[in-house]
Amino acid sequence: MNQTLSIATGPATLPAPAGRLVDRFGRVATDLRVSLTDRCNLRCTYCMPAEGLDWLPSEEVLTDDEVVRLVGVATGLLDVREVRFTGGEPLVRRGLVDIVRRVRRLDADVDLSITTNALGLARTAAALAEVGLDRVNVSLDTLRPETFAEITRRDRLPDVLAGIEAAAAAGLGPIKINAVLMRGVNDDQAPELLAWAVEHGYQLRIIEQMPLDAQHGWSRERMVTAEETLDRLGSRFALAPTAEPRGSAPAELFTVDGGPATVGIIASVTRPFCGDCDRVRLTADGQVRDCLFARRESDLRAAMRSGESDAELADRWVRAMAGKRAGHGIDDPAFLQPDRPMSAIGG
Ligand code: SAM
Ligand code: SF4
């Protein structure tokens, strides 16, 4: 792109070259995941330890103004078309509704969503819809209270279900339900989750567990593979691959019993989709990560706080993407799990 556009940078308005977040393999990142906090009110075993995880110091966490500014750089200067707020748990961020409102005012067309555990969503869904949130993805691994308490170490299933209902009532759909299956814990519950999702008009997506837990307890042998999941679901439902091309979407979609309901399988480990990746991540402390599994980050917070203009930040962001690796390399014997757990990267 050669055109230039102007963007306000405080007192002066500088012309800035419009750019795109292209890596050296030609992939273009247009989908930004923004972590609003590393904190959470659940403790899912595949994500966080029961206790003992240090939180980011508050002075390192981006302020609401800083989040809005960096999202504005991404959507205004870098051709980002989809913004998803995540965490940690985005609903525990006090300024969430205001951040969504301000990002929506900056860009009427950007696809704006959150990934949430839905605790407290019953209270905020209507407000989020009103200020311009488009959709929610909710993480829910089981419909059984005792399994929920085992996985999340909290007894909050009814709150989650109330949150999902409120989101549907507020029009924050299509609602996607993300589930991670764990062997011997909830892997036998995939069919009942799918039956429930189909009944309510939600799209279930089952995600292979990735080595991103703070305790480093992941093992390839124990992971429930996409193939096993499809076998289990196939014993109760007729599944057929949809005709739609997958594009950069991580989920392979299957129609359920002839459709129109579909189920998504996200085989991040056994069938990686890195070649089509269009994502970039911004952590709650303002670091750009070009991949969930990145070993390097680029510090936009320090650059912003040292007075860089929007155009300079955009340029820094473009440079940060250049080093994106071809794939996550989980199968490589030299694979190293990232230092930050999923809750601190932003899933
Ligand atoms: N707290 C919110 C939630 O749970 O939806 C947002 C953050 S959470 C880190 C985002 C997503 O990452 C959730 O769907 C969760 O299930 C998923 N996740 C966390 N740890 C994971 C892991 N080790 N492997 C695969 N998915 C994981
Ligand atoms: Fe919290 Fe989400 Fe991690 Fe569960 S997956 S501990 S809800 S951040």
Side-chain angles (χ1 to χ4, degrees), residues 144 181-182 184-192 232:
R144 300 186 197 173
L181 298 181
M182 277 162 298
V185 179
N186 64 339
D187 53 339
D188 59 332
Q189 299 177 29
E192 72 193 51
R232 257 189 207 282

Side-chain angles (χ1 to χ4, degrees), residues 40 42-44 46-48 88 117:
C40 188
L42 295 182
R43 292 288 180 280
C44 304
Y46 48 74
C47 182
M48 288 174 105
N117 62 28

Side-chain angles (χ1 to χ4, degrees), residues 238-322:
L239 303 181
T242 57
E244 275 170 52
R246 178 171 164 191
S248 58
E252 290 173 62
L253 289 186
F254 297 82
T255 54
V256 181
D257 291 340
T262 56
V263 61
I265 303 290
I266 304 185
S268 325
V269 179
T270 58
R271 294 180 219 160
F273 32 86
C274 305
D276 295 316
C277 181
D278 66 352
R279 296 197 182 165
V280 56
R281 292 183 148 78
L282 182 65
T283 63
D285 55 347
Q287 312 297 305
V288 169
R289 293 181 68 92
D290 57 29
C291 173
L292 266 179
F293 295 94
R295 309 275 323 154
R296 290 180 335 166
E297 299 181 338
S298 178
D299 190 353
L300 291 189
R301 184 194 73 226
M304 178 166 52
R305 289 183 183 174
S306 75
E308 283 196 3
S309 69
D310 287 0
E312 287 166 326
L313 291 169
D315 189 45
R316 187 179 285 277
W317 204 328
V318 168
R319 279 184 275 121
M321 294 304 288

Side-chain angles (χ1 to χ4, degrees), residues 142-163:
T142 174
L143 295 165
R144 300 186 197 173
E146 61 286 4
T147 312
F148 186 90
E150 183 182 352
I151 294 174
T152 68
R153 303 187 178 102
R154 303 285 187 272
D155 189 11
R156 306 287 301 272
L157 179 62
D159 299 336
V160 173
L161 296 176

